[in-house]
Amino acid sequence: MSILYGKSSPYYLTSQVGSYLGVINFRNIPYQSDDVQFTITSQYEFRPDLLAFDLYENVNLWWVFAVRNKDLIKDPIYDFLAGQTIYLPKMSTLKTILGN
């Protein structure tokens, strides 16, 4: 049995062991000079999926914020706190990295 994940999925590069996923393998989202600084507002606290939808029109890109800001966000949900300033990659950068 093969499990396929779309390019926007955090599991896209993760290997499969039998019918189970192996250790997650995130794609790198490197710093770009045109990244935008964003201070998380209360409407997005604990909800990176909502911010992903508002920015990229895709809730499945919630993981991008944790990967791009790995020095600040260890837990992609509970470390997504109002008042914290993070870097956001532009959609054009994501399209290049994700191959969309």
Side-chain angles (χ1 to χ4, degrees), residues 30-98:
Y31 168 81
Q32 300 289 318
S33 60
D34 63 351
D35 284 350
V36 176
Q37 274 193 328
F38 176 79
T39 301
I40 299 169
T41 60
S42 60
Q43 78 185 75
Y44 298 118
E45 187 168 47
F46 309 126
R47 295 300 306 267
D49 57 325
L50 295 180
L51 182 58
F53 180 79
D54 288 349
L55 292 176
Y56 309 126
E57 297 180 358
N58 187 339
V59 296
N60 295 323
L61 293 174
W62 59 267
W63 59 273
V64 167
F65 309 125
V67 171
R68 173 58 189 87
N69 298 278
K70 55 184 132 194
D71 56 328
L72 296 173
I73 301 174
K74 303 297 182 204
D75 183 302
I77 305 299
Y78 294 109
D79 288 345
F80 210 75
L81 300 171
Q84 181 166 260
T85 300
I86 61 173
Y87 287 96
L88 306 174
K90 291 192 174 181
M91 188 60 185
S92 57
T93 301
L94 287 182
K95 285 182 178 183
T96 300
I97 291 169
L98 302 179

